[in-house]
């Protein structure tokens, strides 16, 4: 948690891995301190976001704020201006449901500082590899031909793949 600094934009169409990454980030805060140092907001406006981001951590050096979507009224320029002066003790994850358009001002600003994290749809070949690796980690062998057929039937939406693979295992 000490290496993570500032704000990150998390977006994309692949919800399974995006949610897994957010959960992993939350788990960087010890369970007994999450109530004090983790805040999840839904569609906050800039005023609410900045208010929460300025809250000091308790019993830790940092606090984490997860903003699930942003209020439609949020101005990307004003948000980025705020983020330049945000408390260094806050890690902010702005999590958007869909992939942002390449012309998005918010995406351009986060890409410029190399803080945009895109979770794109998984290609079938990568879904097959994930299935085989996950099966092995669960003590089951999944030959490539079976994985190919499995992904061909289930598709490459990783939420479905994961659910169906757990049933198969």
């Amino acid at each position: 948690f000490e290496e993570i600094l500032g704000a990150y934009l998390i977006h994309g169409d692949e919800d399974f891995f995006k949610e897994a990454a957010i959960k992993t980030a939350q788990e960087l805060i010890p369970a007994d301190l999450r109530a004090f140092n983790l805040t999840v907001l839904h569609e906050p406006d800039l005023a609410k976001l900045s208010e929460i981001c300025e809250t000091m951590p308790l019993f830790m050096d940092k606090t984490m704020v997860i903003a699930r979507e942003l209020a439609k009224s949020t101005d990307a320029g004003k948000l980025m201006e705020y983020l330049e002066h945000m408390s260094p003790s806050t890690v902010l994850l702005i999590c958007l449901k869909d992939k942002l358009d390449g012309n998005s001002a918010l995406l351009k600003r986060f890409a410029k500082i190399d803080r945009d994290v895109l979770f794109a749809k998984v290609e079938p070949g990568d879904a097959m590899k994930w299935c085989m690796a996950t099966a092995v980690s669960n003590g089951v062998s999944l030959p490539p031909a079976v994985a190919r057929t499995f992904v061909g039937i289930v598709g490459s939406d990783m939420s479905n793949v994961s659910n169906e693979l757990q049933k198969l295992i």
Side-chain angles (χ1 to χ4, degrees):
F1 190 46
E2 299 305 318
E3 316 76 51
I4 302 174
L5 302 169
Y8 297 83
L9 177 65
I10 299 172
H11 65 113
D13 300 324
E14 182 46 62
D15 292 332
F16 179 78
F17 287 127
K18 186 173 22 175
E19 290 304 318
I22 293 166
K23 181 179 178 192
T24 300
Q26 291 176 5
E27 290 171 351
L28 294 173
I29 300 171
D32 57 336
L33 297 176
R34 284 186 200 137
F36 306 110
N37 297 297
L38 174 65
T39 304
V40 180
L41 303 170
H42 297 275
E43 296 185 20
D45 60 14
L46 185 54
K48 180 67 174 178
L49 187 64
S50 61
E51 173 189 335
I52 298 299
C53 286
E54 296 306 315
T55 303
M56 297 302 294
L58 196 56
F59 306 118
M60 292 186 68
D61 293 334
K62 292 184 186 174
T63 184
M64 182 180 292
V65 177
I66 299 174
R68 292 194 171 271
E69 300 297 324
L70 293 170
K72 300 216 183 304
S73 63
T74 303
D75 177 86
K78 288 181 181 177
L79 173 63
M80 293 308 292
E81 185 178 311
Y82 166 72
L83 294 178
E84 290 175 13
H85 306 290
M86 184 178 76
S87 171
S89 64
T90 299
V91 173
L92 172 62
L93 305 179
I94 299 173
C95 307
L96 305 179
K97 181 163 177 46
D98 298 316
K99 178 181 177 183
L100 285 179
D101 182 283
N103 294 325
S104 161
L106 191 62
L107 178 59
K108 285 180 181 179
R109 289 176 179 263
F110 272 93
K112 184 177 180 181
I113 60 172
D114 200 29
R115 295 284 177 93
D116 71 299
V117 183
L118 173 63
F119 286 89
K121 285 288 185 193
V122 175
E123 295 297 321
D126 292 329
M128 286 173 43
K129 291 175 189 173
W130 184 85
C131 288
M132 291 186 296
T134 301
V136 167
S137 70
N138 282 282
V140 178
S141 174
L142 187 65
V146 175
R148 184 175 8 295
T149 301
F150 176 78
V151 170
I153 293 170
V154 174
S156 58
D157 176 276
M158 293 307 292
S159 293
N160 289 339
V161 170
S162 177
N163 289 337
E164 296 303 319
L165 185 61
Q166 290 307 312
K167 292 176 192 176
L168 181 64
I169 289 172

mmCIF file of all heavy atoms in Angstrom, residues 108 118 163:
data_model
loop_
_atom_site.group_PDB
_atom_site.id
_atom_site.type_symbol
_atom_site.label_atom_id
_atom_site.label_comp_id
_atom_site.label_asym_id
_atom_site.label_seq_id
_atom_site.Cartn_x
_atom_site.Cartn_y
_atom_site.Cartn_z
ATOM 1 N N LYS A 108 -7.794 11.454 -21.153
ATOM 2 C CA LYS A 108 -6.571 12.096 -21.650
ATOM 3 C C LYS A 108 -5.703 12.587 -20.499
ATOM 4 O O LYS A 108 -4.489 12.424 -20.513
ATOM 5 C CB LYS A 108 -6.921 13.259 -22.576
ATOM 6 C CG LYS A 108 -7.403 12.824 -23.934
ATOM 7 C CD LYS A 108 -7.742 14.018 -24.798
ATOM 8 C CE LYS A 108 -8.248 13.590 -26.159
ATOM 9 N NZ LYS A 108 -8.614 14.721 -27.001
ATOM 10 N N LEU A 118 -7.019 0.310 -17.889
ATOM 11 C CA LEU A 118 -8.102 -0.176 -18.745
ATOM 12 C C LEU A 118 -8.257 -1.679 -18.587
ATOM 13 O O LEU A 118 -7.279 -2.429 -18.698
ATOM 14 C CB LEU A 118 -7.812 0.159 -20.209
ATOM 15 C CG LEU A 118 -8.777 -0.429 -21.236
ATOM 16 C CD1 LEU A 118 -10.184 0.122 -21.041
ATOM 17 C CD2 LEU A 118 -8.279 -0.159 -22.643
ATOM 18 N N ASN A 163 -17.840 -18.371 -13.363
ATOM 19 C CA ASN A 163 -18.962 -19.108 -12.763
ATOM 20 C C ASN A 163 -19.067 -20.523 -13.324
ATOM 21 O O ASN A 163 -19.211 -21.494 -12.579
ATOM 22 C CB ASN A 163 -20.283 -18.370 -12.989
ATOM 23 C CG ASN A 163 -20.382 -17.105 -12.167
ATOM 24 O OD1 ASN A 163 -19.719 -16.967 -11.138
ATOM 25 N ND2 ASN A 163 -21.218 -16.173 -12.621
#
